[in-house]
Protein backbone atom coordinates (compact mmCIF):
# COMPACT_ATOMS: atom_id res chain seq x y z
CA UNK A 1 0.00 0.00 0.00
CA UNK A 2 1.36 3.43 -0.92
CA UNK A 3 2.72 5.61 1.81
CA UNK A 4 2.85 2.95 4.48
CA UNK A 5 6.13 1.14 3.85
CA UNK A 6 8.56 0.81 6.71
CA UNK A 7 11.64 1.11 4.50
CA UNK A 8 12.28 3.82 1.95
CA UNK A 9 15.06 2.44 -0.17
CA UNK A 10 15.22 -0.98 -1.76
CA UNK A 11 18.57 -1.65 -0.07
CA UNK A 12 17.09 -1.01 3.39
CA UNK A 13 18.96 2.23 4.04
CA UNK A 14 17.29 5.20 5.65
CA UNK A 15 16.04 7.97 3.36
CA UNK A 16 18.34 10.91 2.84
CA UNK A 17 17.57 14.58 3.04
CA UNK A 18 19.30 16.46 0.24
CA UNK A 19 19.59 19.94 -1.24
CA UNK A 20 19.85 20.52 -4.97
CA UNK A 21 20.14 24.06 -6.35
CA UNK A 22 17.69 23.53 -9.21
CA UNK A 23 15.02 21.67 -7.22
CA UNK A 24 12.75 23.52 -4.77
CA UNK A 25 15.07 26.50 -4.90
CA UNK A 26 17.74 24.53 -3.07
CA UNK A 27 15.59 23.85 -0.02
CA UNK A 28 16.02 20.55 1.80
CA UNK A 29 13.92 17.72 0.41
CA UNK A 30 13.49 13.96 0.56
CA UNK A 31 15.92 12.30 -1.87
CA UNK A 32 14.17 11.00 -4.96
CA UNK A 33 11.18 13.29 -4.50
CA UNK A 34 10.25 16.93 -5.00
CA UNK A 35 8.79 16.96 -1.51
CA UNK A 36 10.36 19.59 0.68
CA UNK A 37 11.17 18.97 4.31
CA UNK A 38 9.37 22.21 5.14
CA UNK A 39 6.19 20.98 3.42
CA UNK A 40 6.17 17.85 5.58
CA UNK A 41 7.04 19.86 8.70
CA UNK A 42 4.33 22.44 8.05
CA UNK A 43 1.64 19.81 7.61
CA UNK A 44 2.74 18.07 10.79
CA UNK A 45 3.03 21.18 12.95
CA UNK A 46 0.45 23.56 11.49
CA UNK A 47 -1.91 21.12 9.84
CA UNK A 48 -1.99 18.59 12.67
CA UNK A 49 -1.61 15.75 10.15
CA UNK A 50 -0.20 12.46 11.39
CA UNK A 51 2.92 11.01 9.76
CA UNK A 52 0.69 8.33 8.26
CA UNK A 53 -1.67 10.91 6.73
CA UNK A 54 1.25 12.86 5.31
CA UNK A 55 2.82 9.71 3.87
CA UNK A 56 -0.42 8.67 2.22
CA UNK A 57 -1.12 12.08 0.72
CA UNK A 58 2.41 12.39 -0.72
CA UNK A 59 2.65 8.69 -1.66
CA UNK A 60 5.84 8.21 0.33
CA UNK A 61 6.74 5.96 3.24
CA UNK A 62 6.22 6.83 6.89
CA UNK A 63 9.99 6.39 7.27
CA UNK A 64 10.52 9.20 4.75
CA UNK A 65 8.12 11.41 6.69
CA UNK A 66 9.98 10.72 9.92
CA UNK A 67 13.33 11.44 8.24
CA UNK A 68 11.99 14.79 7.04
CA UNK A 69 10.61 15.62 10.49
CA UNK A 70 13.86 14.63 12.20
CA UNK A 71 15.74 16.93 9.84
CA UNK A 72 13.26 19.77 10.36
CA UNK A 73 13.43 19.57 14.15
CA UNK A 74 17.24 19.38 13.95
CA UNK A 75 17.42 22.49 11.74
CA UNK A 76 14.94 25.00 13.24
CA UNK A 77 16.79 28.03 11.84
CA UNK A 78 16.43 26.66 8.31
CA UNK A 79 12.70 26.02 8.83
CA UNK A 80 12.22 29.57 10.17
CA UNK A 81 14.11 31.03 7.18
CA UNK A 82 11.95 29.10 4.70
CA UNK A 83 8.80 30.16 6.55
CA UNK A 84 9.86 33.82 6.54
CA UNK A 85 10.66 33.65 2.83
CA UNK A 86 7.27 32.07 2.05
CA UNK A 87 5.16 34.27 4.36
CA UNK A 88 4.46 37.06 1.82
CA UNK A 89 3.23 34.47 -0.69
CA UNK A 90 0.86 32.92 1.88
CA UNK A 91 -0.47 36.34 2.87
CA UNK A 92 -1.10 37.26 -0.77
CA UNK A 93 -2.99 34.01 -1.35
CA UNK A 94 -5.09 34.62 1.77
CA UNK A 95 -5.90 38.17 0.67
CA UNK A 96 -7.07 36.94 -2.73
CA UNK A 97 -9.10 34.01 -1.41
CA UNK A 98 -12.74 34.04 -2.40
CA UNK A 99 -15.14 33.88 0.52
CA UNK A 100 -18.92 33.72 0.42
CA UNK A 101 -20.89 36.83 1.26
CA UNK A 102 -22.55 36.88 4.65
CA UNK A 103 -25.96 37.97 3.49
CA UNK A 104 -29.04 36.70 5.24
Amino acid sequence: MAGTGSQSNSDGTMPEIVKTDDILGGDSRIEGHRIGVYHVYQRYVDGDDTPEEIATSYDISVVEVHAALAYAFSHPEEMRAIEARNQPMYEEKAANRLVPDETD
Side-chain angles (χ1 to χ4, degrees):
M1 178 167 29
T4 59
S6 62
Q7 301 258 315
S8 168
N9 302 325
S10 60
D11 62 0
T13 60
M14 295 301 287
E16 290 187 52
I17 303 301
V18 298
K19 294 180 181 182
T20 309
D21 289 339
D22 60 343
I23 300 174
L24 296 181
D27 289 345
S28 52
R29 64 180 175 83
I30 301 168
E31 171 114 53
H33 302 281
R34 292 183 57 91
I35 301 168
V37 168
Y38 181 75
H39 299 117
V40 172
Y41 169 78
Q42 184 180 35
R43 288 192 55 185
Y44 181 75
V45 173
D46 296 337
D48 295 327
D49 290 344
T50 67
E52 292 79 9
E53 291 168 332
I54 296 167
T56 300
S57 70
Y58 284 135
D59 196 23
I60 59 176
S61 71
V62 173
V63 172
E64 289 170 310
V65 172
H66 283 285
L69 291 173
Y71 181 92
F73 284 109
S74 296
H75 297 85
E77 301 85 20
E78 182 179 337
M79 297 301 107
R80 282 193 290 272
I82 293 170
E83 182 176 39
R85 190 177 66 236
N86 291 339
Q87 192 63 36
M89 178 184 61
Y90 296 139
E91 289 172 359
E92 181 180 331
K93 283 184 179 181
N96 293 325
R97 186 175 303 138
L98 296 176
V99 293
D101 290 336
E102 293 186 32
T103 57
D104 291 335

